[in-house]
Amino acid sequence: MTRALTGAWLVFAVTAWAPSVADAQEGEGTTAEEHDGDLGEALRGGLDTNVWLVEAQLGIAGSIVERGPQVTESDGAPLGVLAAFTTGLRTDYFVTPAIDIAYYGLGRSTDRVVDPSGAEGVIDNRLQLATVSFGLLVDLWRFRIRFGTGAFHLALDTRTGGVEAETSRWDFGWLLGIAGYFYRDEGRQLGFEGRVAIDAGSDIVVLTLGLVATVDALSF
Amino acid sequence: MRSEPAVTPVGPSLILAHQLLLLHVLLVPSLGCDGRANVEHRTFPEGGMLADAVPVPQVSLPALRGIFTTDGELRRFGDLVSVHSTASGVSLFGDEDARYALLDAGCLEDGSRLVLEGEHRVAVDVDTGLLRFEVEPPSLAAALCRGDADASDPGLHPGARLSGVYGEGDDLPDLPAGASFTGPLVPIDDFTVASHRGGCRTIDDCGVSENSIEAVVSAERFGATSVEIDVRFTRDGVPVLYHDAKLSSRLTRGRYCVGEIANLDLAHLQANCRLRFGEAMPTLEEALDAALGQTNLRAVWLDVKSDQDVPTLVEITRRINARAEALGRSFRVFIGCPSQAVYDAFVALGPPDVPCLVELSLDDVIAAGCEIWGPRYTLGPMAEEVARARAAGIRTVFWTVNGQEFIDLLLTDSDPAGLLTDRPHLVFHRDQMLRGGYE
């Protein structure tokens, strides 16, 4: 799957990027006018400057997993908080290269589990994922598609029988998302985004739903 | 003034449509299959005819072994199949699409009928189905059910036959299929069919997870005489069977089954993780106990992952081999040295007092005083080197050979002492075909 995603990413990036690069080579910077209707008064004033997108998101996250050991009793939740920050450079077209930094809480619980000998034991777990990904945002009317790739850091804190352990792993991962905006005004947007984050090393798939606020801002 | 872009004008919507189409084509098939075989294993409803059967005396099952000529739908296995038996049942191995069948045996009607029932599988794909045979003639079936058959007989007598029906997918078997005894199996005492990762890779889905006790115990049904297993150490120093340094859903299940094995105690692993098919992750000692006590396997090859693990594994190997000797079992655990670091650590312990296998050069095997050389099959047959090893009393076992063309090439060109494989049934059958003179 990783190979296919890599191929898809390359095709997507090259075809999306080509016109913008060509423009830049002809001496064209990204101008505010080309974002007509979405920017504030200052931007419509014809400033020949770059426009940056800044975005914050808050939501819930959970991972798709197959059940492991038999749990006879559980206190906690298999879900957690999603907190994400994105910034990107608006281009002449509807494609915005962006960087995304996100935290995903993937569960925190105290479980009574049956071990291989059939005995019951109690284990506390906390699983978290932090990601830094680079990619593209593709705007289509009131919707936006996100496609990114980057470094994923998965961390587990666990404790059983009074013994604690921490373990983590860095992996390559993929980020896909689709957002729909219910409010747009003067370069400000508010909507919901659903994400799929795929940790390619551990094969964990994370699903999220969050409220996303986006603002277009000037660079200096 | 704005100049024209130096590219062919293409509308944004066309670009996007192009991108989405490519994404769809590239992503959808991969995401759907997840890289793992989606095998549906089949069983007869309500236990089939064997639900009311009595077990076949174990002394009788070896008498079912042999090379059989196929007819009817069983020709899908190829013109000839190897019929193998273990304490658990009877297996059929063919070379057409590396097909195999695992059958249970039972006696019906006061021991006058001997029935074999089970699943067949295309190993190179995910197709499965059901098979049912009866042993003919009835006089032979009755003798086998009574336990009167000569177990030392290398195969059934001429005229013996497996007669039955073949089914595909969910269908109950109703297509005629059969096999007639053609000749005995070639003795396999001097040839090693070593099963990779304990028996069956998880991704191949034989119904058990790789590096599980269940895989080790079932390896013989696939024709293996030995198994290779991967050893990792937990934080509290317990060797467990697992291939990778890090846990992943490729091999395990459990919401909190993540991270590095070396950072977790055995208790954390056992509380948070199960292998893909639901088995517990076994400790090395549990796996070796099972291999010694529940199978007739001749050897276990430990794939040692770190030089730091060598002293502990040598100690465990020494202890298990002493137990096997005390039990009178022809069973040995080998320390496998796959890397220079592990090799150096092993050699540093002094002259070996445990069996060992080296995957480096033949000269390294000789220098270390080990019994087995384990070269990669991609190096080719290396007939001269294999002959030199043989002359030095060293057995050559190539790894990890799965394709029939490579299996045949190695068996014919270099005559090794064995092959490590993910398809032991295919190696078993090809060895029979080639050494038995059927091809």
Side-chain angles (χ1 to χ4, degrees):
Chain A
M1 187 175 73
T2 302
R3 196 183 314 158
L5 285 168
T6 304
W9 160 248
L10 288 173
V11 169
F12 194 91
V14 169
T15 55
W17 205 249
S20 301
V21 170
D23 279 357
Q25 287 170 344
E26 291 296 317
E28 287 290 313
T30 304
T31 62
E33 292 95 329
E34 285 143 15
H35 296 278
D36 54 342
D38 287 344
L39 304 178
E41 192 66 28
L43 300 183
R44 270 199 290 269
L47 296 177
D48 189 8
T49 184
N50 294 322
V51 177
W52 289 83
L53 163 154
V54 178
E55 177 182 294
Q57 183 171 172
L58 202 60
I60 56 170
S63 55
I64 300 174
V65 291
E66 286 185 69
R67 198 175 68 181
Q70 183 187 353
V71 176
T72 56
E73 193 178 323
S74 182
D75 180 14
L79 301 173
V81 171
L82 158 71
F85 174 83
T86 301
T87 184
L89 178 63
R90 293 290 199 190
T91 67
D92 288 2
Y93 300 112
F94 47 83
V95 175
T96 303
I99 180 171
D100 180 85
I101 300 169
Y103 166 84
Y104 307 79
L106 299 181
R108 184 171 195 168
S109 62
T110 299
D111 298 325
R112 185 173 289 276
V113 297
V114 179
D115 75 12
S117 68
E120 284 198 346
V122 175
I123 187 161
D124 301 305
N125 288 298
R126 183 184 185 192
L127 184 62
Q128 307 166 87
L129 174 68
T131 68
V132 178
S133 58
F134 303 86
L136 297 175
L137 307 176
V138 181
D139 288 294
L140 296 165
W141 190 52
R142 284 181 178 271
F143 296 97
R144 192 196 61 203
I145 298 168
R146 177 195 300 274
F147 192 86
T149 182
F152 283 38
H153 184 251
L154 190 65
L156 173 72
D157 299 305
T158 182
R159 176 188 175 92
T160 187
V163 181
E164 292 184 24
E166 295 176 6
T167 184
S168 63
R169 56 182 293 170
W170 282 98
D171 286 308
F172 175 69
W174 296 96
L175 179 60
L176 307 166
I178 183 163
Y181 294 104
F182 56 80
Y183 172 80
R184 298 178 77 185
D185 181 54
E186 300 294 326
R188 293 182 293 273
Q189 301 178 106
L190 197 60
F192 290 102
E193 181 177 29
R195 292 180 170 208
V196 181
I198 304 167
D199 184 315
S202 61
D203 287 338
I204 285 181
V205 177
V206 177
L207 299 180
T208 74
L209 182 64
L211 184 66
V212 57
T214 308
V215 177
D216 284 336
L218 297 180
S219 66
F220 296 98
Chain B
M1 234 354 235
R2 180 173 182 154
S3 60
E4 286 296 317
V7 294
T8 305
V10 177
S13 57
L14 186 60
I15 294 173
L16 182 68
H18 176 60
Q19 292 161 349
L20 292 177
L21 179 63
L22 283 167
L23 280 174
H24 179 78
V25 168
L26 288 165
L27 293 181
V28 169
S30 339
L31 292 170
C33 71
D34 196 26
R36 182 174 295 118
N38 183 23
V39 178
E40 297 231 6
H41 291 286
R42 318 286 176 183
T43 54
F44 279 88
E46 300 173 0
M49 291 175 69
L50 294 183
D52 300 320
V54 297
V56 179
Q58 284 207 2
V59 293
S60 293
L61 290 175
L64 290 170
R65 295 175 181 168
I67 303 297
F68 285 62
T69 301
T70 58
D71 57 70
E73 294 298 320
L74 204 61
R75 287 179 62 84
R76 294 171 189 239
F77 279 62
D79 292 336
L80 297 168
V81 290
S82 298
V83 176
H84 175 58
S85 75
T86 66
S88 305
V90 174
S91 308
L92 271 57
F93 308 141
D95 49 25
E96 195 69 35
D97 296 330
R99 288 173 193 254
Y100 64 83
L102 304 180
L103 309 172
D104 297 323
C107 293
L108 295 171
E109 297 178 9
D110 298 328
S112 61
R113 296 170 64 191
L114 198 164
V115 174
L116 307 174
E117 280 186 345
E119 181 190 53
H120 63 83
R121 163 89 190 269
V122 177
V124 298
D125 207 329
V126 297
D127 298 335
T128 56
L130 293 169
L131 273 178
R132 175 183 289 141
F133 293 115
E134 286 204 39
V135 174
E136 293 178 344
S139 58
L140 175 63
L144 292 169
C145 285
R146 285 195 308 269
D148 289 348
D150 182 2
S152 63
D153 187 339
L156 294 169
H157 56 77
R161 184 178 154 72
L162 303 177
S163 185
V165 283
Y166 176 101
E168 284 187 89
D170 282 333
D171 298 341
L172 283 176
D174 59 357
L175 303 170
S180 301
F181 180 79
T182 301
L185 293 181
V186 177
I188 199 168
D189 300 343
D190 293 330
F191 185 73
T192 297
V193 181
S195 199
H196 190 213
R197 299 191 186 183
C200 176
R201 288 185 309 173
T202 296
I203 196 170
D204 290 331
D205 189 353
C206 302
V208 295
S209 303
E210 68 185 48
N211 283 311
S212 65
I213 287 178
E214 290 78 1
V216 170
V217 170
S218 65
E220 281 180 290
R221 293 199 78 176
F222 291 91
T225 62
S226 308
V227 295
E228 178 258 15
I229 53 180
D230 302 290
V231 187
R232 296 276 175 190
F233 275 69
T234 62
R235 186 179 69 171
D236 51 342
V238 181
V240 295
L241 269 55
Y242 199 76
H243 184 268
D244 301 345
K246 297 175 182 178
L247 299 160
S248 77
S249 60
R250 187 177 66 83
L251 299 178
T252 57
R253 330 187 323 192
R255 178 171 301 283
Y256 300 108
C257 189
V258 300
E260 295 200 33
I261 288 179
N263 292 338
L264 298 166
D265 288 358
L266 179 66
H268 297 120
L269 285 171
Q270 295 194 328
N272 276 335
C273 299
R274 289 292 177 270
L275 299 177
R276 284 296 314 172
F277 292 93
E279 308 94 336
M281 185 183 296
T283 65
L284 174 62
E285 299 223 31
E286 288 169 342
L288 293 177
D289 282 347
L292 180 59
Q294 299 177 43
T295 75
N296 289 310
L297 291 169
R298 299 198 297 250
V300 175
W301 164 354
L302 304 185
D303 192 348
V304 182
K305 302 296 186 185
S306 165
D307 55 332
Q308 297 173 355
D309 303 340
V310 171
T312 304
L313 294 179
V314 165
E315 177 54 37
I316 292 172
T317 298
R318 196 180 286 131
R319 193 165 65 240
I320 295 289
N321 286 345
R323 270 182 50 205
E325 193 171 345
L327 291 169
R329 275 271 276 119
S330 174
F331 174 90
R332 292 194 301 165
V333 181
F334 284 75
I335 293 286
C337 300
S339 67
Q340 192 66 49
V342 170
Y343 175 82
D344 291 342
F346 183 75
V347 170
L349 294 176
D353 63 347
V354 294
C356 50
L357 177 154
V358 174
E359 297 178 29
L360 307 175
S361 72
L362 177 57
D363 290 335
D364 288 325
V365 186
I366 295 169
C370 291
E371 294 176 42
I372 298 181
W373 179 34
R376 288 198 319 268
Y377 83 95
T378 49
L379 296 173
M382 298 188 293
E384 289 182 12
E385 285 285 275
V386 173
R388 185 162 77 90
R390 196 181 300 114
I394 292 168
R395 294 162 56 81
T396 302
V397 177
F398 285 95
W399 61 272
T400 299
V401 198
N402 296 329
Q404 184 177 326
E405 64 275 33
F406 298 112
I407 293 169
D408 288 358
L409 178 70
L410 293 172
L411 292 180
T412 53
D413 284 11
S414 69
D415 191 22
L419 299 178
L420 176 64
T421 178
D422 295 311
R423 293 180 183 152
H425 57 282
L426 186 59
V427 169
F428 182 104
H429 182 63
R430 294 308 303 162
D431 175 59
Q432 290 294 325
M433 293 295 100
L434 294 169
R435 280 199 298 137
Y438 291 99
E439 292 182 15

